[in-house]
Amino acid sequence: MIKIGTALFEACEELEREKGISKDVLIASLCDAMVAAYKRHMHLKEADNIEGLLDEQSGEIGVFRTKVVVETVEDSDTQISLEDAKEIDEDVEIEDEVKIEVTPEQFGRIAAQAAKQVITQRIREAERNLVLNEFMDKKGTLITGIIQRVENRNVIVNIGKTDAIMPAKEQIPGEYYKAGNRIRVFVLNVKETTRLPQVIVSHAHAEIVRELFELEVPEIEDGIVEIKSISREAGYRTKIAVWSNDPEVDSVGACIGPRGSRIQTIVGELKNEKIDIVRYSENSVEYIVNALSPARIISVDILADDETAHEALVVVPDDQLSLAIGREGQNVRLAHKLTGWKIDIKSQSQMESAEQAQNYQDEEEYEEADEIDNSEELQEEIEEEMNQQEVDMEDDAADLGIDAQEEENE
C-alpha cells in the first residue's frame, strides 16, 4: 500500500466545494489511475480482476488482484490455492474470492504521475458534464452575465461556470460592449466540444423582449394576458401582439402600465428601442390593421388565404404611405413577421390610377373585340354574297343547257 495521507481528501473536498465535482468521482478516478499505471508498468493489456482500493481511515492506496480459491491452480493470474488463501484469510473456502495486494515496490512515483493525468482528465470531464447539464436546462431562457472582453467581433460573456460567446450577428447594431458591464442575454444554443461545452448567447433575440415583459407585467406571468407573437429588429424597433383572456383586462393597457411605467422600464432595458404593442385579433383584417399601426388604413383586401399563401392588399391615404411602409420598409416588414401575412401596401391615388388604367384597358379590349365581331359579320356577309352569286351562275348555266337542247330538237 502507498501512504498518501489526508491532504488528498482535503483537496477533493475543496474541489467539490469550488467546482461542484463529487468527492467520490475524484476518489474513483484515483483508483482507476492506479490500475492504469499498474497495467502499463506490468505490460498487461487485459486484466479484469485488478482494481485500486483506497482506505480513507489510514490514508493508503494500493492495487489488488481478485482471485478465486480452488483446489488445483490452473491459472495463477485468476486462481489461488486454498492453502495460500488461508494465509490471507483463515475463514476462506473453495470458490471464495480473495483480494491480493500486488502493488509493486517503488510504485509511488509512477502512480502519482498516472494519477495526475487521470484526475486532470476526469476533472475536465466532470466540469464539462456539469456545464452541459446546467446550460442545457437554461437553453431558451434569459440569464445575466458579465462582459469579459471582445475577440474578433465576438463578445465573451461570463455566465457563471463558463464563458459564453455572443457572435456579431447576435449583437445589437451600434451597441458598445464594455468589459465589466453586466448584460442580460438569451441562451441560444449549447454545443458539445472536446473541451468545455460552447454556450452561444444572444442580445438581439426576440425572446429577450418576451422575458422582459413577463418580468414587468404581472398579468402576463399570471396567464391573464398572453403574448401571441413578437417580431424584432434589434436596436431599432419591436412589435409585440398581445391578447387578454379576461374581457375586463385591457391587454395593451396592462403592458403599458400606469403612466407608461412598465413599458418605460422595458424600453430602458433595451436602450430606448421602439416598441409597438399591438392588439391581437383572430380576424385577419383587424389583425393586419393593428399590426401596421400607427398608420391609418382605408381598406384591406384578402388576396389569398390558404395553407400555401397568406396575401393581403392594404390601401392607405396618400399621406400615410411612408408611415405604413416605414423607414427602409421596416414597419411593413415587422408587420409581416408578426402576422405571417404577405402585405402589399398601396396609396389611395395609386389604387385610383391603377383602376383607371384597368378601366382604360378594359375599354380597349371591348373596342377591339367589337371590331373583331364587326369584321366577322362583314366576312359572313361577303361569304353569303359569294355563295349567292355561285348559285345564280349555276342557275344561268342550267337555263342555257335547256335552251340548247330545245334548239337541237327543233
Side-chain angles (χ1 to χ4, degrees), residues 99-319:
K99 294 185 184 296
I100 303 170
E101 185 182 357
V102 292
T103 309
E105 295 182 3
Q106 305 300 323
F107 189 60
R109 184 182 60 81
I110 300 172
Q113 186 65 26
K116 179 182 176 181
Q117 295 175 354
V118 173
I119 288 177
T120 302
Q121 181 182 358
R122 293 296 174 86
I123 288 174
R124 287 177 180 171
E125 289 178 358
E127 285 181 337
R128 178 177 174 274
N129 291 332
L130 284 172
V131 171
L132 186 63
N133 294 334
E134 178 180 353
F135 289 100
M136 274 297 186
D137 293 337
K138 290 183 179 179
K139 184 178 178 180
T141 62
L142 203 63
I143 61 174
T144 301
I146 300 175
I147 298 174
Q148 297 295 304
R149 60 192 180 278
V150 179
E151 291 182 356
N152 300 325
R153 298 180 62 195
N154 294 330
V155 178
I156 310 302
V157 182
N158 181 267
I159 51 176
K161 294 179 181 178
T162 188
D163 287 343
I165 298 175
M166 181 163 58
K169 65 179 182 179
E170 298 299 336
Q171 300 168 22
I172 295 177
E175 181 76 8
Y176 176 66
Y177 296 98
K178 183 181 178 181
N181 285 357
R182 298 181 70 85
I183 185 173
R184 190 171 290 179
V185 292
F186 182 80
V187 180
L188 197 64
N189 198 8
V190 181
K191 297 180 180 178
E192 292 190 50
T193 63
T194 53
R195 301 182 66 184
L196 287 177
Q198 189 178 72
V199 183
I200 309 297
V201 296
S202 172
H203 197 213
H205 201 277
E207 288 300 312
I208 291 179
V209 180
R210 182 189 298 274
E211 292 275 355
L212 290 174
F213 270 92
E214 289 177 354
L215 290 172
E216 293 295 330
V217 183
E219 289 84 353
I220 294 178
E221 187 177 1
D222 295 339
I224 298 173
V225 175
E226 184 179 352
I227 298 175
K228 289 290 188 178
S229 179
I230 299 175
S231 61
R232 184 188 187 198
E233 291 190 2
Y236 300 103
R237 194 171 187 177
T238 293
K239 286 181 180 287
I240 177 170
V242 293
W243 169 264
S244 176
N245 295 314
D246 187 344
E248 297 182 359
V249 177
D250 179 21
S251 57
V252 175
C255 293
I256 295 174
R259 298 182 180 179
S261 59
R262 294 173 179 173
I263 192 66
Q264 286 175 5
T265 302
I266 297 172
V267 169
E269 183 73 26
L270 297 175
K271 308 298 181 183
N272 296 322
E273 184 176 311
K274 292 182 180 179
I275 299 179
D276 296 337
I277 302 176
V278 174
R279 198 183 307 278
Y280 174 80
S281 175
E282 294 182 354
N283 184 294
S284 300
V285 173
E286 185 179 351
Y287 190 23
I288 292 171
V289 170
N290 295 342
L292 288 170
S293 64
R296 298 194 314 274
I297 308 300
I298 293 177
S299 65
V300 178
D301 293 329
I302 303 299
L303 303 180
D305 185 11
D306 52 39
E307 295 180 356
T308 58
H310 300 281
E311 298 180 15
L313 175 62
V314 176
V315 181
V316 299
D318 291 354
D319 61 344

Side-chain angles (χ1 to χ4, degrees), residues 1-2 26-54 61-66 99-104 107-108 110-119 122:
M1 297 283 282
I2 301 172
L26 293 172
I27 291 175
S29 301
L30 180 59
C31 293
D32 291 343
M34 290 289 293
V35 173
Y38 176 79
K39 288 181 179 179
R40 194 180 306 115
H41 181 70
M42 301 300 293
H43 305 289
L44 299 174
K45 292 185 178 180
E46 295 183 2
D48 296 335
N49 61 335
I50 296 175
E51 61 181 328
L53 296 176
L54 176 66
I61 190 170
V63 181
F64 291 80
R65 185 188 285 269
T66 303
K99 294 185 184 296
I100 303 170
E101 185 182 357
V102 292
T103 309
F107 189 60
I110 300 172
Q113 186 65 26
K116 179 182 176 181
Q117 295 175 354
V118 173
I119 288 177
R122 293 296 174 86

Side-chain angles (χ1 to χ4, degrees), residues 73-115:
V73 177
E74 296 178 357
D75 183 358
S76 60
D77 290 336
T78 59
Q79 297 174 341
I80 187 173
S81 65
L82 180 61
E83 182 180 352
D84 292 339
K86 288 285 186 180
E87 294 179 1
I88 300 171
D89 185 358
E90 295 182 356
D91 298 329
V92 74
E93 296 179 359
I94 298 296
E95 295 187 356
D96 285 349
E97 290 184 346
V98 177
K99 294 185 184 296
I100 303 170
E101 185 182 357
V102 292
T103 309
E105 295 182 3
Q106 305 300 323
F107 189 60
R109 184 182 60 81
I110 300 172
Q113 186 65 26

